[in-house]
Amino acid sequence: MCKNCDEHMNEAIKLSINNIDNDGGPFGAVIVKDGKVIARGVNRVTSNIDPTAHAEVNAIREASKVLGTFDLSGCEIYSSCEPCPMCLGAIYWARLDKLFFANTKQDAKEIEFDDSFIYEELDLPIEKRKIPTKQMMREEALAAFNKWKNKEDKIEY
């Protein structure tokens, strides 16, 4: 599959282990391009007081800075754990070519990092979700979409 898969996964796992002693959660990720690690990320949710500061998201942010692009095509991500729905979405949006992970979401659930409720919520109709949700002012909001649609010099993503 790849030349140095084990080496890259070992690095993600080491990051996850070491992060526990550095005020972070037990998650690590590395992003690789052309066989070389270009970015690393660890879970900094509690230390940064940021619920989006997951290892994969932090690695994606770093890789984007390093490469100067939001399109990470040609890159692979190695995560110490199967990504949560947010991170999986970020991986798709970043257009990473491949995803490798070690621990499963079930393993994470067993140590109380359980994201199964999010998957369940996403399958429900909006009106049955736990967070009350109401669509409003669509016509007014369409102004931004129409402006974007007609913008000639936009950078598409």
Side-chain angles (χ1 to χ4, degrees):
M1 188 181 293
C2 70
K3 190 174 181 182
N4 298 316
C5 282
D6 289 353
E7 179 182 320
H8 301 316
M9 186 58 76
N10 273 326
E11 184 166 357
I13 292 167
K14 285 178 188 173
L15 286 168
S16 72
I17 294 168
N18 293 337
N19 197 47
I20 296 167
D21 295 327
N22 292 307
D23 299 322
F27 303 96
V30 297
I31 295 180
V32 174
K33 183 172 178 78
D34 300 324
K36 295 182 180 162
V37 174
I38 61 161
R40 294 165 180 82
V42 292
N43 179 285
R44 305 305 297 164
V45 170
T46 57
S47 56
N48 288 4
I49 312 169
D50 178 355
T52 69
H54 291 200
E56 297 90 342
V57 170
N58 286 334
I60 288 168
R61 289 173 178 158
E62 180 65 24
S64 293
K65 284 181 193 173
V66 167
L67 297 177
T69 181
F70 54 81
D71 184 345
L72 300 181
S73 297
C75 297
E76 305 168 342
I77 188 165
Y78 294 79
S79 178
S80 65
C81 187
E82 186 174 0
C84 74
M86 177 185 70
C87 292
L88 188 57
I91 289 165
Y92 276 98
W93 277 115
R95 297 183 182 96
L96 289 154
D97 287 358
K98 293 180 183 172
L99 161 64
F100 302 90
F101 66 88
N103 290 321
T104 66
K105 58 186 174 184
Q106 182 60 38
D107 296 328
K109 183 177 183 175
E110 290 174 13
I111 62 163
E112 298 183 16
F113 286 96
D114 184 7
D115 55 16
S116 59
F117 74 98
I118 298 171
Y119 287 104
E120 292 165 5
E121 283 287 299
L122 291 173
D123 282 340
L124 293 173
I126 290 172
E127 63 275 2
K128 293 193 177 191
R129 293 182 184 167
K130 289 186 172 122
I131 296 177
T133 304
K134 178 183 178 185
Q135 182 183 15
M136 54 187 286
M137 299 183 70
R138 178 176 179 261
E139 290 303 316
E140 292 84 351
L142 282 173
F145 283 10
N146 289 328
K147 185 174 181 177
W148 176 259
K149 181 180 177 182
N150 296 318
K151 182 174 172 57
E152 292 185 18
D153 62 342
K154 64 186 165 204
I155 298 172
E156 295 192 26
Y157 58 98

